[in-house]
Amino acid sequence: MAIMTVTETQTHKGPSRAWWKEASIYQIYPASFKDSNGDGLGDVRGVIQKLDYLQSLGVDAVWLCPIYKSPQKDMGYDISDYRDIHEPYGTLQDVEELTAALHGRGMKMVMDLVVNHTSDQHVWFQESKSSRDNSKHDFYIWKEPRLLENGTRAPPNNWASAFGGSAWTYNEARDQYYLGLFCPEQPDLNWENPQVVREVHDIMEFWLKKGIDGFRMDVINMISKVPGLPDAPITLPGRQWQPGDMYYAYGPRLNEYLQGLRGILDRYNAFAVGEMPNVKKDSQVAAVVASDRKELNMIFQFDIVDMDIGDDGKFSPRDWSLNTLKGIVNRWQTFMYEIDGWNALFLENHDQARSVSRFTKHRPEHRALAAKMLATFIGTQSGTLYIYQGQELGMTSLPEDWSLDEFRDLESLNHHAEAVEYFRGNEEGMKVFMRDLRKKARDNARSPMQWNTEENAGFSSATPWMRVNDSYTEINAKRLDNESSSVLNYWRNLLKARKEHVDSLVYGNFELVQDGDEAVVCFRRGGGHGADAWTVLNFTDDEVLWQAPDALLQAIAGGKQVIGTYDDAVVREGNKLRLRPFEARTFI
Ligand code: GLC
């Protein structure tokens, strides 16, 4: 049995300790968490009402998705005032009360910082777009039109925006285009302008002075663009607009800007996790998260959630195998140990479909087992653990028979409209697109939290802004709270075990059993930090007979099981384990 050797890492002292390394962080999507005032939309007071629930889950911190003033073109990721709250979500006082209440319970408060772009309704942009010579004229990225041979004007380059169409929007008053990598109502800030950088630092201080403990930094890798903003190479033949990420996913001044942000964070002893799509190179990741770099504490790296994305963009399919997944996990788990960086562990968030629907193939009666297996998989790795609301219930993606009218996300709707044009006359192409859209749409994660079997799943007394997933009659917090073997109680036990065995499960090193098996994942944590901890998981809905390494068999015989998806003892047959569907166990 080949077990990866990690001789170098075994010789160093291992990671230093910090609260944010040991924390399990619960992500709240405010629109869909809990409506306290009966308007169909979640709010900050709704979060305050549910603090007992969060504490009983055993999480250490809350990451609140944007609640700032916003026209809500992109659900609050388009901010028009960083120092005020979107009215339906509540007031600044509510946020202060939430922060104090979390602190009163020994929990931390993490806010979303969205500073690659603002809303087009932000006063900066309102002024910036008004003329070429106002005081904010250089706050955004403006460029001259490109003139085509026939004399008509066109965007300055061929970059596609994330939510469809060109990344550029024409403005009459300036006779120029501005860049918006997401949607036209989300203009990109110009970080080359030192005034912009100072403003961002001020915004951070505003919130840090209110006592918040850290930031999740939205697409923070995109704040520096390659000067000149060159045309992207054609990687999607037949499409008018091309992915330009090679020119903005990791621009030349990124590290400098991040060091600037870190300077502010350090003054308040706060931490930051950066969202970094399209950053895959070891050297680039290391330059941001290696502790001696003094940039970010950790990043959301996208290899796992991009695993099923094909060459033709997010809504094109790609097959993945369990060994693909194991390879990704092994790579980042061992890498962070070597560079003294840190992992952010996640399978879900507000931009991703529900993990149990996306990453497991299960019979309906095995859904809860599959969700617990995934919990064990992610929850026994090294890093800071992120749990997205509803993940602890094993919530599922949206039912396949829902009409697209129920979808609310501009990414889904815009890409659908584009696909209708693009696949005109190509029924098969459209069918594949639709299957993938349903599988990966962000809407899957955004349906209201399922609290109980009452009207609207107990989320709201009014018609919710987005339809409640029909699964709520079965999957809801109240019911799962009462069932000792539920997904919810499994998560509670898992988070407890992570605390109890923090040396091994948080700080220990990681060794993957590299046997190429397509059904079973097995890894050992520890390596001199705490006792060895072994996790073994059957990722499939079938029973498998799996050849176990001797060291695992010894751990089973002489150790204790700290968590497992089946109540009875593991079934051993000689040197093999007979693992039932989604059987998952951790032994110490
Ligand atoms: C991030 C957010 C996503 C948002 C985008 C633009 O990816 O997580 O929800 O649409 O940035 O701000």
Side-chain angles (χ1 to χ4, degrees):
M1 183 66 44
I3 293 190
M4 167 106 175
T5 52
V6 280
T7 9
E8 298 121 295
T9 61
Q10 281 169 335
T11 57
H12 75 57
K13 286 202 299 293
S16 59
R17 292 175 175 256
W19 73 262
W20 47 264
K21 291 185 174 177
E22 296 173 20
S24 299
I25 302 183
Y26 190 86
Q27 182 191 352
I28 290 184
Y29 198 63
S32 299
F33 190 62
K34 173 70 189 161
D35 173 15
S36 75
N37 62 353
D39 63 359
L41 188 74
D43 45 49
V44 177
R45 300 217 68 84
V47 179
I48 296 174
Q49 285 178 5
K50 292 294 181 184
L51 288 178
D52 283 347
Y53 172 77
L54 296 181
Q55 199 160 23
S56 84
L57 176 58
V59 294
D60 308 286
V62 159
W63 148 27
L64 196 60
C65 282
I67 37 78
Y68 314 97
K69 222 175 201 68
S70 157
Q72 304 287 327
K73 287 282 170 203
D74 184 22
M75 293 301 293
Y77 282 92
D78 48 322
I79 297 171
S80 55
D81 186 348
Y82 291 90
R83 294 179 176 79
D84 206 351
I85 309 301
H86 180 52
E87 234 167 82
Y89 284 157
T91 63
L92 268 179
Q93 286 70 37
D94 293 336
V95 178
E96 285 164 2
E97 191 181 320
L98 171 60
T99 308
L102 284 166
H103 288 164
R105 291 168 187 255
M107 293 158 85
K108 309 275 188 190
M109 169 75 152
V110 178
M111 303 269 291
D112 223 302
L113 185 74
V114 188
V115 288
N116 173 69
H117 44 266
T118 68
S119 158
D120 66 339
Q121 300 305 308
H122 196 289
V123 286
W124 299 336
F125 189 75
Q126 290 298 309
E127 186 165 352
S128 192
K129 73 170 193 183
S130 66
S131 68
R132 289 189 181 212
D133 55 8
N134 62 73
S135 71
K136 302 282 185 284
H137 72 98
D138 208 13
F139 259 50
Y140 296 84
I141 301 174
W142 292 96
K143 264 200 129 185
E144 303 306 319
R146 174 181 279 184
L147 282 185
L148 303 180
E149 270 165 33
N150 65 9
T152 56
R153 62 165 189 262
N157 70 25
N158 67 352
W159 296 358
S161 81
F163 299 148
S166 163
W168 296 90
T169 305
Y170 180 71
N171 170 268
E172 202 69 66
R174 293 182 58 138
D175 186 26
Q176 279 180 318
Y177 282 82
Y178 66 88
L179 181 69
L181 293 178
F182 291 87
C183 75
E185 294 86 358
Q186 289 168 301
D188 277 52
L189 283 165
N190 175 19
W191 280 66
E192 302 276 338
N193 178 349
Q195 258 181 291
V196 167
V197 177
R198 270 200 301 278
E199 291 283 1
V200 170
H201 290 184
D202 277 359
I203 291 165
M204 289 171 70
E205 296 223 37
F206 175 84
W207 286 101
L208 289 165
K209 281 186 185 137
K210 292 197 180 295
I212 69 150
D213 304 283
F215 292 105
R216 175 268 187 185
M217 298 183 169
D218 189 65
V219 290
I220 200 67
N221 58 314
M222 300 184 184
I223 57 180
S224 165
K225 280 92 177 165
V226 167
L229 314 178
D231 270 332
I234 311 289
T235 50
L236 301 178
R239 304 266 182 171
Q240 191 176 8
W241 311 113
Q242 300 291 321
D245 51 282
M246 61 185 293
Y247 296 120
Y248 61 72
Y250 203 101
R253 298 184 68 184
L254 176 64
N255 302 102
E256 172 199 334
Y257 297 151
L258 294 180
Q259 282 161 17
L261 301 184
R262 177 62 176 263
I264 308 290
L265 293 167
D266 280 350
R267 255 189 260 157
Y268 294 85
N269 195 22
F271 97 108
V273 50
E275 186 204 24
M276 292 218 169
N278 298 314
V279 177
K280 301 194 182 290
K281 281 195 200 140
D282 288 9
S283 56
Q284 295 185 329
V285 172
V288 171
V289 299
S291 67
D292 58 356
R293 296 278 308 172
K294 298 262 170 278
E295 295 190 12
L296 300 180
N297 301 95
M298 63 187 113
I299 65 165
F300 291 123
Q301 204 279 338
F302 274 59
D303 279 358
I304 292 181
V305 292
D306 283 353
M307 199 167 61
D308 58 359
I309 290 181
D311 294 333
D312 207 10
K314 175 165 174 179
F315 301 116
S316 66
R318 179 190 298 279
D319 291 333
W320 58 276
S321 70
L322 191 59
N323 277 294
T324 312
L325 179 59
K326 287 200 255 188
I328 295 169
V329 167
N330 186 47
R331 175 179 176 207
W332 295 115
Q333 285 284 300
T334 54
F335 180 74
M336 289 303 173
Y337 218 83
E338 282 158 22
I339 63 158
D340 194 17
W342 197 249
N343 274 297
L345 305 169
F346 74 105
L347 290 177
E348 287 187 24
N349 62 39
H350 63 295
D351 294 331
Q352 305 295 337
R354 292 293 183 176
S355 57
V356 71
S357 305
R358 186 175 181 194
F359 297 126
T360 70
K361 284 202 187 78
H362 58 267
R363 280 168 277 178
E365 64 271 29
H366 288 166
R367 181 196 46 79
L369 269 175
K372 292 183 208 170
M373 182 283 292
L374 285 178
T376 323
F377 169 67
I378 197 79
T380 59
Q381 291 178 36
S382 170
T384 301
L385 182 58
Y386 291 82
I387 303 147
Y388 177 65
Q389 67 184 47
Q391 185 176 359
E392 79 278 18
L393 307 178
M395 271 178 70
T396 50
S397 287
L398 302 179
E400 304 212 331
D401 59 0
W402 276 22
S403 132
L404 272 197
D405 295 343
E406 309 287 1
F407 285 48
R408 294 283 173 273
D409 178 23
L410 85 167
E411 180 185 60
S412 312
L413 302 174
N414 291 358
H415 280 279
H416 178 258
E418 271 187 7
V420 168
E421 290 304 314
Y422 185 75
F423 291 114
R424 202 173 283 285
N426 175 358
E427 241 176 72
E428 183 53 29
M430 192 63 196
K431 222 165 95 191
V432 172
F433 171 85
M434 281 309 294
R435 209 183 302 138
D436 235 54
L437 178 70
R438 289 189 182 281
K439 201 160 138 205
K440 297 178 199 157
R442 308 195 297 182
D443 305 79
N444 285 306
R446 298 179 177 187
S447 66
M449 180 73 177
Q450 297 166 197
W451 293 108
N452 54 44
T453 52
E454 286 159 34
E455 205 186 1
N456 305 318
F459 160 71
S460 173
S461 57
T463 305
W465 72 280
M466 180 180 177
R467 180 173 166 187
V468 173
N469 192 323
D470 310 298
S471 67
Y472 79 97
T473 49
E474 195 192 328
I475 306 172
N476 65 70
K478 181 154 186 225
R479 174 170 174 192
L480 271 55
D481 183 43
N482 290 326
E483 280 173 16
S484 62
S485 67
S486 68
V487 179
L488 175 61
N489 282 313
Y490 193 88
W491 269 102
R492 288 173 172 155
N493 292 335
L494 179 66
L495 297 184
K496 252 185 238 138
R498 214 172 149 78
K499 287 228 174 324
E500 198 177 321
H501 304 285
V502 65
D503 289 339
S504 336
L505 292 182
V506 174
Y507 293 111
N509 75 356
F510 178 95
E511 290 188 52
L512 179 72
V513 174
Q514 302 201 62
D515 59 0
D517 199 274
E518 272 297 337
V520 176
V521 180
C522 180
F523 49 82
R524 194 197 71 178
R525 303 290 318 285
H529 301 283
D532 279 358
W534 284 88
T535 291
V536 57
L537 319 152
N538 177 1
F539 232 87
T540 72
D541 203 356
D542 301 312
E543 187 172 291
V544 296
L545 197 58
W546 175 72
Q547 172 78 47
D550 289 344
L552 170 60
L553 295 173
Q554 281 158 24
I556 293 174
K560 115 175 188 240
Q561 179 175 313
V562 293
I563 190 105
T565 57
Y566 284 80
D567 287 337
D568 49 4
V570 65
V571 179
R572 186 175 161 178
E573 292 177 17
N575 288 338
K576 296 190 169 145
L577 298 183
R578 183 170 292 282
L579 298 168
R580 284 157 285 179
F582 303 111
E583 182 159 348
R585 298 174 186 270
T586 298
F587 301 94
I588 297 236

